[in-house]
Amino acid sequence: MPEVDLRSAARASNRFFGAAVQIEQLRNDSLFRRTVINQCDSLTPELALKWEVIEPAQGAFNFAPMDELADFARDNGKRLYGHTLLWYRSIPAWARTPINTPRGWDMIHRGFAETMPRYNDIVDYWDVVNEPLDSTQDDGLRRSPFYEAFGPDYIRHALNSARHLAPQGKLLINDYGVEYSGPDEHARRKALLALIDKLRQQRVPLDGVGIQSHLDLHRGPIDQQSLATFLKELADRGLLILITELDVREVDITMPLALRDQKVAEGARAFLDVALAQPAVRGVTTWGLSDRYSWINVDADTGRVHTGRNRGLPFDVDMKPKPFCYSAVEAFRNGSPAPPRSNHKS
Ligand code: G3I
């Protein structure tokens, strides 16, 4: 296979390409490290920035993994993507009860205040609120511990706090489940737009939206028309769009490898063709770079890792580029470029 260069392909369309990583992978695996350095302009901490990691005991902050990742980024000319400040699935055990008291917000604010200024030099985008949507609720909002404690206004509070602490940062809401047809995904797109409109009415500082994009071939093709319309609706509201967690869950892992890889590449391509036709999309991050390290290969129940079982990332377990890489390069080439980077302030 010819040399592949996702970084240059993205740059040529005024975008970045990035991947979610864990610092141990970069520290201990030189082949992986080299591939990340060659292919990525942006790195997302898969775990290191989550509240349960940075504050495992109240007031006892643990920035070691995040600091190491930030130094790696600074040393290698990379940027970090700030995932994530507020996620209902990463609340440290000690905070679960006290969050629901009048002083609860102080705890959240303290975490933000310790974290954001520490990395403002290297983080451009912050996933301030992760996964706030639940289309089964009347108001479209997940009944998370944050919602239960502070009501729907927790999103406004979080974005206002974040703006204060990162005046130059791009502040985002990041969510999933907007790529396919069907009533649930339709309702999720609607709920996200309604949330955005409400926040804008309240003059809340929101710069953009992260679309996670965990694709799943079991679900058939994505709904290209609805996705394109949705991205345009976001762009028309002046928002930036980031593809934040792209990967592809396979439908049949017993098929010949070449066919599997082709199907994954086609799935990714169908998505990227729509995403990269939209100039408001400023970057694409895959959730891992290689099948060597992919959350899809971890059994949620047992924690057992089946390395390479699913082949849903651009590089295989041997760090060889797969058709996914080439279809991403093509999609960057064929898409509509984003505005030149000097204009990315808007
Ligand atoms: O490192 C420990 C290991 O020592 C221990 O033996 C094992 C026991 O289960 O756990 C390991 O830690 C796990 C960690 O992943 C490392 O792989 C945690 O339990 C597990 O909770 C953690 O899962 C991460 C999950 O977010 C929760 O933080 C996944 O790696 C990560 O890929 C996933 O990422 C999320 C995004 O943040 C938000 N969108 C969805 C996406 C996928 O679920």
Side-chain angles (χ1 to χ4, degrees), residues 8-28:
S8 302
R11 280 184 184 181
S13 75
N14 302 322
R15 296 180 167 100
F16 69 80
F17 177 78
V21 295
Q22 297 180 27
I23 187 60
E24 298 78 11
Q25 300 159 359
L26 296 171
R27 195 198 301 139
N28 302 331

Side-chain angles (χ1 to χ4, degrees), residues 20 22 24-25 44-47 50 52-53 83-84 87 89-90 127 130-131 174-176 212 214 244-245 247 249 287 294-296 298-305:
Q22 297 180 27
E24 298 78 11
Q25 300 159 359
T44 299
E46 187 177 358
L47 304 171
K50 290 171 177 167
E52 65 183 345
V53 176
H83 176 83
T84 172
W87 186 28
R89 280 183 53 201
S90 65
D127 283 345
N130 196 43
E131 302 177 7
N174 188 48
D175 219 316
Y176 64 88
Q212 292 188 4
H214 291 292
T244 52
E245 307 187 14
D247 55 16
R249 205 177 274 270
W287 204 244
S294 166
W295 75 290
I296 301 178
V298 181
D299 272 341
D301 300 338
T302 63
R304 243 186 98 197
V305 180

Side-chain angles (χ1 to χ4, degrees), residues 14-16 125 240-242 279-284 338-339 343-344 346:
N14 302 322
R15 296 180 167 100
F16 69 80
Y125 300 94
L240 306 173
I241 304 167
L242 282 302
V281 172
R282 297 300 160 85
V284 174
N343 297 340
H344 276 201
S346 64

Side-chain angles (χ1 to χ4, degrees), residues 146-269:
F146 309 119
Y147 186 103
E148 300 297 351
F150 313 110
D153 272 352
Y154 84 90
I155 299 173
R156 177 164 65 90
H157 294 320
L159 287 160
N160 281 329
S161 293
R163 170 55 73 235
H164 181 67
L165 294 161
Q168 310 299 325
K170 300 292 183 211
L171 308 181
L172 281 82
I173 290 173
N174 188 48
D175 219 316
Y176 64 88
V178 297
E179 301 85 8
Y180 290 90
S181 57
D184 181 50
E185 304 244 340
H186 174 74
R188 291 179 66 82
R189 290 188 286 268
K190 234 174 104 182
L192 185 51
L193 290 171
L195 170 62
I196 289 163
D197 288 343
K198 184 161 167 233
L199 293 172
R200 285 159 59 84
Q201 249 171 29
Q202 298 173 323
R203 302 194 168 281
V204 177
L206 176 72
D207 300 302
V209 167
I211 308 287
Q212 292 188 4
S213 320
H214 291 292
L215 306 182
D216 185 346
L217 299 182
H218 292 96
R219 305 186 61 184
I222 62 157
D223 183 343
Q224 289 187 307
Q225 182 62 55
S226 297
L227 178 61
T229 304
F230 177 61
L231 297 181
K232 181 168 186 313
E233 285 173 307
L234 295 174
D236 287 348
R237 286 163 169 78
L239 294 168
L240 306 173
I241 304 167
L242 282 302
I243 306 306
T244 52
E245 307 187 14
L246 177 63
D247 55 16
V248 183
R249 205 177 274 270
E250 291 183 78
V251 65
D252 179 1
I253 61 172
T254 65
M255 292 189 301
L257 279 194
L259 185 57
R260 289 173 60 187
D261 289 350
Q262 183 194 326
K263 293 207 170 295
V264 166
E266 284 168 3
R269 180 71 193 265

